[in-house]
Amino acid sequence: MSRNALFSGWATKCGGKTKNWKRRFFQISPNGEVVYGVDQNSLAAPLGTFDLNHAVRVCSPGICTFAGVIAPPQASQDVRVEVELPQRTYLLFFDNETQAKAFVQAVHKAVPNLHSATFAEDFSGFSEMLSKVARENDSKFEDATVDEAGA
């Protein structure tokens, strides 16, 4: 691990164009730069980089869906992380939940104000949506009842 890296470790990421999964070594620096390569010795000339300062949100382990992508069987909900940037969403899964949480903690340490999707937030949004649909349906039912009574 680099002396001042907030996180160094292995994750498997989904390709941007070709949706295949490749194991990569990731490192997060305090300034929010993420670099990844085939191993920790390749980070001087990494395969890829992205800047967490441009991230829109990070999806924490336990709720990431990897929507529209077939995840490998070992990518259980508790090891998935999504980092959403304007141009791309990085889909990652880790060997275990501890590593996934350590990655997300490092992301938040590098970019403290980054929005993080949590289970409670997702459930709250789902709950609000259900309430809205129920109110709309109640309103339609009341309207239908009034129309029938007036006919």
Side-chain angles (χ1 to χ4, degrees), residues 38-107:
V38 293
D39 59 34
Q40 66 189 82
N41 298 324
S42 70
L43 296 182
L47 291 174
T49 66
F50 57 93
D51 187 347
L52 292 170
N53 293 292
H54 299 292
V56 176
R57 76 177 180 104
V58 62
C59 179
S60 299
I63 61 164
C64 299
T65 61
F66 289 178
V69 176
I70 298 172
Q74 64 271 36
S76 63
Q77 288 286 111
D78 61 338
V79 298
R80 295 179 185 185
V81 173
E82 296 175 17
V83 179
E84 184 181 341
L85 292 128
Q87 72 277 12
R88 177 177 174 190
T89 299
Y90 286 84
L91 308 178
L92 310 171
F93 72 87
F94 294 82
D95 292 340
N96 57 56
E97 187 176 2
T98 302
Q99 289 176 331
K101 287 181 176 180
F103 182 88
V104 171
Q105 287 173 345
V107 167

Side-chain angles (χ1 to χ4, degrees), residues 110-124:
V111 186
N113 296 325
L114 180 61
H115 178 71
S116 180
T118 62
F119 178 77
E121 178 183 271
D122 279 9
F123 182 76
S124 170

Side-chain angles (χ1 to χ4, degrees), residues 4-23:
N4 59 355
L6 300 176
F7 175 88
S8 288
W10 291 97
T12 303
K13 74 171 217 42
C14 185
K17 292 179 184 171
T18 305
K19 300 299 181 202
N20 57 354
W21 295 89
K22 298 219 176 175
R23 190 162 168 82

